[in-house]
Amino acid sequence: MDGEAKLRGVGDSLPRLDAGDKVGGRARYTDDLFRPGMLHAALMGSPYPFARIISCDTSEALALPGVKAVLTGADIPANRWGGFINDETALAIDIVRYVGEPIAAIAATDLATAREALDLIEFEFEELDPVLTIDAAMADGAPLIHENFAEYEKRPGQGDLAPNQVSRQSIIEGDVEAAWADCNVVVENTYEVQAQSHVYIEPCSALAEVDESGKVTVWSANQSIYKVQASLSKALGLPMSKVRAITPPVGGAFGGKSGVTVQPITVMLAQKTGRPVKLTLSRTDDMMMMRSRHAARVRVRTGAMADGTLVAHELDVIYDGGAYAEDSAAVLGFGLLMARGPYNIPHVKLTGSAVYTNKLRAGGFRGFGNPQVTFGTEQQIDEIAVRLKMDPIDLRLKNALQTGDLWVGGQTVTSCGFRECLEQVRDAADWPTRRQAPAANGKRRGISVAGVSHICGLLGTSAIVRVLEDGTITLNTGAVDIGQGSDTVLAQICASSLRLDIGRVNLVAPDSDASPYNWGTGGTRVTYMVGRAVESAAGAALEQIRQHASEIFECAPADVELRDGGHVGIVGVPEKELSFAEISGRAHYVTGGPIIGTHALVYDGQEFDPKRALMDHFPFARIGTYVFGAQVVEVEVDEVTGQVEVLNVWSAHDVGRAINPAAVEGQIQGGVVQGLGYALCEELTWEDGQPTNPTMMDYKVPGALDTPTNIHPIIVESEEETGPFGAKGVGEPGLVGVAPAVANAVAHATGVRLTRLPLTPESVLRAMTAE
Amino acid sequence: MDYFRPESLEEALGLLAEIPDARCLAGGQTLVAMMNTRIVAPPRLVSLRDIPGLDQIEALPNGGLRMGTMVTHETLMNLSANGAHRLLPETARQIASPAIRAFGTVGGALCHADPAADWPTALVALDASVHVAGIDGKRREPLAEFLVDALTTTLEPGEILTHIEIPPPGQTSAGAYVKFARVEGDFATVAVAVSLSLSGPTCEAIRIAVGGCSPVPTRDDAAETGLVSTELSEADMQAVGNSLATAIQPEDDGRASAAYRRMVVPGLVQRAITLAHDRASEARI
Ligand SMILES: Cc1cc2nc3c(=O)[nH]c(=O)nc-3n(C[C@H](O)[C@H](O)[C@H](O)COP(=O)(O)OP(=O)(O)OC[C@H]3O[C@@H](n4cnc5c(N)ncnc54)[C@H](O)[C@@H]3O)c2cc1C
C-alpha cells in the first residue's frame, strides 16, 4: 500500500461519470453536434392508416430556396430490414401502413425551410380499409397489411403463420387440461394493456456524413452501435465495413432506440446531397413515427389447491405489433418465458401470438413483453389469495421459487432472492399494520403486492482493457450507456478487477470503428454480460502483468500478487513491489508488447430442456440468469373522482450484488415511476387509426409532483456465481410489477378488480359505482 | 412577422389597428406554443410588457381589487388577500408549473378563453368584470358576459383587455378552488370555484362556477339562490351539485368522458362548498 485513499470501485455509491456534464449542460447529444456544410432534415408522415400511394409531386418543395433534396419511397433502395422479419424500409414504398409513417424526407439549409417545404409535397392516395384492432387483424378475410409477406426475408423457425400474424409461440409443461380437476380454486380473467409511449427526453436524432470512398459515419441516439451498423448495412446495401456508428450521450431510450430509428433516411439524404445531414424529430413526430410498448390482450387461468399450492397456469397473450414486425417475435417469446412468474407451478400452458395492425409499430420497451403478462399473472395470484382468505405475501412465499428450482423451460435457477425480496418488502412496509390501516374520510385505502422476475443474460459481448504506459487504463466495450449508468458501473468493475481507483479508468465512447462487439443495451444485461467481459478482460491483462512481474522478480507467476493502487509484488515480501507503470513501460519498450486484455463471450447459461418443456418457435437460442423482485404499493382511492393516489411503494430487487448501490436505487425508482405512468395515466390512443394524443399536452406522463416521494428501493443480494463480483441486473424489473401491484392494491381498497390499463379515475370510479 | 414593444396603450392600439390579425403578446405561454406548432402565424406581435401599470394590482377604496392584464400567475400565487379573495392565490398555485406561472398572465388566460383554463372559472366565481380598451374607447363588462364560447370572447380585433376588477369580499367570506386534473399542472378535467359569505351560521351569498365541463364556466343562479339563508347542509349541497351536473354541457375528450364529468361534479361541488364553508366559519370564530 502506498498510502492512497480508499480505492473507489465495486460496492461504492459513486456519482455517475457523466453526471457533471449532464447537470452542467455540457453533455453534447446528437442534436448538439454540427458538421461544416451540414443540412437539416424533416420527415413527412402518412395522413392515412392504410393507403396506396398513387402519385407524388415534389417539384414545388424542391423549388423552395434552401431545399437541397427531397426523397420519397420511389427514390430509395427497396432494401428491407427488421428483427425477425425484414419488412421495413426507410420511407414507405407504394403502401402506407400507419398514420405518421414517414413518406417523404427533406434536407434543407435550415430546419424551418425543411419543415416549410414538407407542406409543398403533393401526395395522392387511394385509401384502403385499415385493420385497427387485434380482432380485426385475425378476422376471416381481414385485409393483408403486408401483401408481400411471403416474400420477405425471415429468420428461420417462424413456423406457419396466419394472415397478419407476425409470430406464434408456445411453452407447455405438464398437463394443464388434466390439472384443473385437482384445483380447489380456479380464477380466470382477460386483461387488456395499452400502448405506452417511451417518452425518452431526447427524441430520435441522427447526423450522417459520407466520405469520398462512400464510407458512412453516423452519430445517433441508439442502444447499440452494432445494431445500427447491421441495419444500416441492410438498408443501404453497404458492407458493414463501410458503415461507422458512433453514439454521443443518449437522453434515454427505454428500448425505443434498440433498433434503427431515423439513421437510414438521414444517411440516404447525406448520400443524395453529398453533405452532412442532421435529423432530429419533433416530440410529436417522434410519438407518431417511432415505436410504443405493445398493447396486448391476455387471457389467464390459474388454479390452486385449498392450502394455496399453485397447480396450473394457462395464459394466452396476443400482442398488437402495429404495422411492422420489429422485435415482436422476441417480445412474445420473452413474455411467454416470464408468464408463469417466479413460482413453482407444475402444469403450465403458455401460448401467444403477435399480429400486425395499421398502427404505430410496437417495439422493445423496459420489460419487453413481461409487464403485459405479469399484469395478468400477478393479479390472479392475488385473486387466489382473496378466494382462499390467505395473505397475498404468504401465498407467494408458499409457492416461491428458490435457488436450484427450475424455470419454465427447464433451466436451473442459479441464484434466487425472491423469498428474501418478499420478506423484505413485508417488513419494510410494516405489512400487517398497513393491511388494516383505516382510510381517511372520502377515501379508500389499500395495499398489496406483486412478484417480479426477469433475466439479465443473453447474446454476445466483448471488452478490451488496455494498460497505458503510465499504468492507467483504457476500457473499451462498445456498450451504450443510455442514461442508466452502465459506463460508471463498468468502470467500477474494471477498477476493482485491477484493484485500482476508478479515477484511473478511462472509458472509450461507443464507436463501431474502435469498439469491440456488443449486442446492445437491453434485457437488463449490461452489468451482467458486459461486466463479465470487463472482469475477464481485466483478468487477461493481469495475467500479462503477472508474467512481466515474474520475469522481473525472477519468481513463479503464481507468487506474484496484485496489490491495491496499481502495484504487484511477491507474496509474503512486502518490500518487493512494482507499479503498473514500470511493467507497462517494459511491455511497451523492452519486451512483450503493450498489455491488452480482451475477452469475448456469448451467453453461456444452461439450455432449455426439451424433455421437460415443449417450446414451439421460441426465438432465443439461449437466455437466462434470472433476477427477482417484489413490489408493494399502498394507495388511496378518492371516492368522488376514483383517482388513485399512490402513497408508498416498496420495491425490493435481487440484483445479485449491487456494484453501485445508488445507481441500483435510481434504476428501481425510475422503473417504479415509469411503471406508475403505465399503471395510472399513460396511454397512446387512436380514433379511426389517427393518433389522438401525440403531444405532451395530451399524453400525460407523471411529473415530479405526481410521483410519490415515498418510493423505497430495497437491494437484495443473492450473489450470482457467474456474474461480475456476483452481480446480475436491475434495469427493467422496477417497472414490471408496478401495474399489477397497483391493481391489487386498488382491489384491496375498493373490493373491485380492474383488468384494463391504465387505471384511470374514470375506470376506477365506474368499477366502484357498479360494485 | 414584426414585433413591437409599445410603451403606451394608445401606441399599442394603433399598432394593432394597422394590420388585420395582429395580436397582443402577453406571457406568450399559449400564443408562442401555438406559433411553434404552426396553428397560428400572426403577421405582427404587439407586446404589452412595457405598457406601464398593466402588471400592477391595486386595492380599491371599497375593498375590491383591480389588477392589470399582465399580472402573472406567479404574482397572484404570492398575493396576500382577504376572505374570498384568497381564491386568487389558491387558484394560481394550481396552474401549470413554475416556469409557466412566471410568464403566463391572468389577462392572457381570459382572452384565450380555454374552457379548461383556471382563471375563467375562479374569476367568474369572484364576480369579476373586465375593462377593455379599443381605438374608439373603453368599456367595462362582467367577465361572465365577456366569455362567449370556447376560445371566444367579446373582444373585437384590435381591442385590448386592460384590467380585471373584483368586487370586495363579503364580511365573513371565503373561497375554495378544487381542481381535478389527470396529472399535476395539467388543465382541469373538472374544476369548481366557490366564493361565499356567511351571516352567522347561514349562507349570505354564494357563487359557484364549474370549469372544464362546458364552453364557458357554468353557474346555476337558481340553485345558488336556493342556498342563500340555508346552513349549507349536506342535502343543500347535494341539490346544487346535482343541478350543476345537469347544467353543464360536457363533451368527451382526451381528459375524460362527458358522462364521467357529470358523475364527479356533485361530489366536487360539495367538496368545494364544504371547504369554503369551513374556512368562512373559521374566520367567523
Ligand atoms: C404546459 C402548459 C400548461 C398549462 N397549464 C395550465 C393550467 O393548468 N391552467 C391554466 O389555466 N392554464 C394553463 N396553461 C396556460 C397558461 O396559463 C397561459 O399562460 C395562459 O392561458 C395564457 O396567458 P399568456 O399570458 O401566456 O397569454 P399569451 O399566450 O401571450 O396570449 C394568449 C392569447 O390571448 C391574447 N391576449 C393576451 N393578452 C391580451 C390582452 N390583454 N388583450 C387582448 N388579447 C390578449 C393573445 O393575443 C393570444 O391570442 C398552461 C400552459 C402551458 C404551456
Side-chain angles (χ1 to χ4, degrees), chain A residues 697, chain B residues 23-32 48 69 73 94-96 100 103-105 107-109 111-112 117-119 155 159-161 179 185-187:
Chain A
M697 204 68 187
Chain B
R23 290 234 197 177
C24 295
L25 177 67
Q29 297 305 294
T30 298
L31 183 53
V32 174
L48 306 180
T69 183
H73 311 328
Q94 298 180 57
I95 297 174
I100 290 162
F103 273 82
T105 65
C111 293
H112 185 59
D118 295 301
W119 285 126
L155 279 180
E159 285 188 329
I160 297 176
L161 168 69
K179 177 174 176 176
D186 187 17
F187 282 91

Side-chain angles (χ1 to χ4, degrees), chain A residues 112 115-119 441-443 638-643 681 697-703 705-706 761-763 765-766 769, chain B residues 36-38 96-98 101 180-187 254-261 263-269 271:
Chain A
R115 289 194 173 152
E116 190 186 334
L118 290 177
D119 294 341
N441 204 8
K443 309 273 183 184
D638 188 306
E639 287 180 337
V640 169
T641 61
Q643 188 163 48
C681 59
M697 204 68 187
D698 299 310
Y699 180 95
K700 284 299 170 193
V701 292
L705 296 175
D706 302 295
E762 178 155 3
S763 66
L765 186 65
R766 282 182 185 282
T769 47
Chain B
N36 284 340
T37 49
R38 299 197 288 170
S97 50
R101 289 196 292 264
F180 177 69
R182 293 171 299 177
V183 295
E184 281 289 335
D186 187 17
F187 282 91
R255 294 192 187 100
S257 72
Y260 174 75
R261 289 182 165 94
M263 286 167 80
V264 300
V265 160
L268 291 176
V269 166
R271 219 168 250 185

Side-chain angles (χ1 to χ4, degrees), chain A residues 9 14 259 278 329 342 480 544 556 642 657 659 682 688 701 721:
Chain A
L14 302 180
K278 184 163 76 184
V480 178
Q544 297 172 43
R657 162 106 187 261
I659 302 291
E682 293 185 45
D688 302 326
V701 292
E721 208 169 297

